[in-house]
Amino acid sequence: MTKRQQNALKTRQKLIDTTENLLKKDGFNALSVEDITNASGVAKGTFYVYFKHKEDIVTEICRGYFKQIENDLSQMKSDNIIEKLTIYFDHFMKAVELYGINICREWIKDVIDPQNENVDHGKWQYDFGMLKNILNTAVKNNELKEDTPVELLTHIIITQLYGMMTVWCVSDGVFEPTEWTQKFSRFQLKRLIGEYLI
C-alpha cells in the first residue's frame, strides 16, 4: 500500500471516528457535513471523496459495529445456539441504543420509504442475512437439526428485533429495547427453536 493510500485510509477513518463522537454528543439531526469536516480538520470537499451523504457515514459506523458482532460470535467456543443468539440480540440492541433514539427514528423513517435514494435499503437484508447465517451455521455444526426452518425462524426473530426498535421510538424511549431483548431471549427464544435443538 502506498503512502497516499495509507493517508486516504487514515482520513476516511478520522471522518468516521469524528462522526461517531459527534453523533453520541449531538445526535443525527443536529449534525451537518460541515460539523464533521470542521471537527476532523479537513476540507468539506474531502468528505465527499469518501461519502455521498451524512447518512452514508452513519451506515458505515453501524455496519462496522455489526461486523464486529459477527466476528465475536464466530470466535465463540460454545456450541450453545441459545447463548449465541442471546449475545447477538443483546449486542444488536446495544448498538441501536448506542446511536440513540433520534438516529433510530431517522433510520426507520428513511428505510421504510423505498423511494428515498439517500438511505441504506440494504440494512434489512444485511441484518436478515447475518441472523440467517448464525442459524445456518448452527445447523451445519449440529447445534440445530437439519430440518430447522431457518428462513422462517429468521423472519420471526428479525421482525421481533425491528419491532422492539420501532416501539422504542414510538414510546419516546420509555420502552427499553435492551431490557426487552433480554426478556425475549429468556422467555421466547427457547420456545421458538427448542424443538430443533440437538
Side-chain angles (χ1 to χ4, degrees):
M1 185 180 293
T2 68
K3 180 84 169 160
R4 187 175 180 198
Q5 289 170 321
Q6 288 174 348
N7 287 338
L9 283 175
K10 284 180 187 175
T11 300
R12 187 177 191 279
Q13 191 58 49
K14 187 176 190 179
L15 288 166
I16 290 169
D17 294 342
T18 301
T19 302
E20 186 167 9
N21 290 332
L22 291 171
L23 283 171
K24 290 174 188 173
K25 192 177 93 179
D26 302 325
F28 180 82
N29 292 331
L31 186 64
S32 70
V33 170
E34 193 169 7
D35 294 332
I36 296 167
T37 55
N38 286 344
S40 299
V42 300
K44 191 172 180 181
T46 303
F47 178 90
Y48 296 105
V49 170
Y50 303 101
F51 304 99
K52 289 183 182 178
H53 313 279
K54 72 175 182 175
E55 291 85 359
D56 294 340
I57 199 167
V58 172
T59 297
E60 180 79 17
I61 291 166
C62 292
R63 287 276 173 94
Y65 191 87
F66 282 94
K67 189 66 180 165
Q68 185 58 50
I69 295 170
E70 193 172 24
N71 290 339
D72 291 348
L73 287 174
S74 69
Q75 301 299 316
M76 280 183 68
K77 301 296 181 207
S78 170
D79 62 353
N80 183 334
I81 186 61
I82 300 282
E83 184 181 320
K84 286 179 183 173
L85 288 172
T86 299
I87 289 169
Y88 170 74
F89 300 159
D90 185 58
H91 283 64
F92 185 103
M93 282 307 169
K94 281 183 179 167
V96 170
E97 288 183 326
L98 175 70
Y99 293 106
I101 197 166
N102 290 326
I103 291 177
C104 190
R105 283 179 177 147
E106 190 68 28
W107 177 79
I108 289 170
K109 181 183 79 172
D110 288 342
V111 83
I112 60 174
D113 178 7
Q115 303 305 314
N116 188 340
E117 298 173 4
N118 298 331
V119 296
D120 181 17
H121 294 294
K123 181 71 170 105
W124 168 266
Q125 287 85 1
Y126 179 85
D127 292 339
F128 186 90
M130 184 187 287
L131 181 56
K132 186 176 177 181
N133 184 51
I134 292 167
L135 293 172
N136 276 328
T137 301
V139 171
K140 183 177 143 194
N141 293 341
N142 295 316
E143 300 166 52
L144 291 173
K145 294 177 184 175
E146 211 169 297
D147 66 343
T148 300
V150 169
E151 189 89 10
L152 175 63
L153 290 173
T154 304
H155 274 287
I156 290 169
I157 293 168
I158 204 74
T159 53
Q160 197 72 38
L161 291 174
Y162 273 55
M164 288 183 207
M165 288 191 303
T166 304
V167 172
W168 182 46
C169 294
V170 171
S171 75
D172 203 23
V174 174
F175 177 93
E176 294 183 22
T178 304
E179 177 189 330
W180 281 93
T181 303
Q182 290 166 359
K183 289 178 182 178
F184 173 75
S185 296
R186 199 166 47 246
F187 296 110
Q188 286 294 104
L189 194 51
K190 193 157 187 179
R191 290 185 179 116
L192 272 174
I193 66 172
E195 66 182 282
Y196 305 107
L197 292 171
I198 292 179

